[in-house]
């Protein structure tokens, strides 16, 4: 799978500036499998992506990982957990509310209420 190659290249070259986004994409792809095991693996990849984004101070990628994770949690009837993941990150933004990612996060938060 191309995403696995990209993750491997990040590790091999020690160029990890896009690691959070690659982990998020891997989570999204895992969800397409639709199995319970894939959902567990997707959640793990979203969490890893969040950790990378936080370490790098990459708020935008943190939002993208949190939005994916929050959707997964919502779909598992874990809405309180989804809100707890996404709301604090969304609240740190002070601009850019017209972007597609912030609009998607806001719409998701509205459905979780």
């Amino acid at each position: 799978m191309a995403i696995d190659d990209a993750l491997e290249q990040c590790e091999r070259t020690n160029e990890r500036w896009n690691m959070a986004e690659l982990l998020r994409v891997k989570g999204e792809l895992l969800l397409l499998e639709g199995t319970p095991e894939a959902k567990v693996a997707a959640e793990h990849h979203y969490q890893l992506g969040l950790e990378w984004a936080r370490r790098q101070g990459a708020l935008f990628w943190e939002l993208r990982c949190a939005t994916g994770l929050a959707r997964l949690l919502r779909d598992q009837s874990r809405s309180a957990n989804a809100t707890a993941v996404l709301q604090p990150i969304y609240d740190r933004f002070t601009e850019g509310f017209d972007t597609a990612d912030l609009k998607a996060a806001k719409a998701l938060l509205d459905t979780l209420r």
Side-chain angles (χ1 to χ4, degrees):
M1 192 183 286
I3 191 67
D4 293 324
D5 293 342
L7 286 164
E8 183 181 310
Q9 182 177 350
C10 283
E11 289 294 328
R12 188 176 61 252
T13 63
N14 209 25
E15 291 184 29
R16 298 183 176 129
W17 61 270
N18 60 345
M19 184 66 86
E21 179 66 358
L22 292 174
L23 289 164
R24 182 196 69 79
V25 169
K26 175 75 177 191
E28 295 288 327
L29 293 172
L30 285 164
L31 285 179
L32 295 175
E33 294 177 19
T35 66
E37 296 83 12
K39 290 177 184 179
V40 170
E43 183 171 348
H44 175 72
H45 280 79
Y46 287 135
Q47 292 284 4
L48 287 175
L50 276 170
E51 290 172 20
W52 272 99
R54 287 178 182 137
R55 273 186 277 176
Q56 295 173 331
L59 184 58
F60 176 72
W61 281 347
E62 191 175 348
L63 177 75
R64 292 186 68 145
C65 290
T67 301
L69 178 57
R71 281 190 195 109
L72 174 61
L73 295 171
R74 177 204 59 200
D75 294 347
Q76 296 174 336
S77 300
R78 297 163 59 193
S79 294
N81 297 72
T83 302
V85 165
L86 186 55
Q87 189 71 60
I89 296 165
Y90 181 85
D91 289 345
R92 289 174 33 215
F93 279 85
T94 58
E95 59 186 1
F97 294 101
D98 289 336
T99 63
D101 288 300
L102 279 169
K103 286 180 178 180
K106 174 72 168 126
L108 179 55
L109 285 167
D110 289 345
T111 66
L112 292 170
R113 290 191 180 109

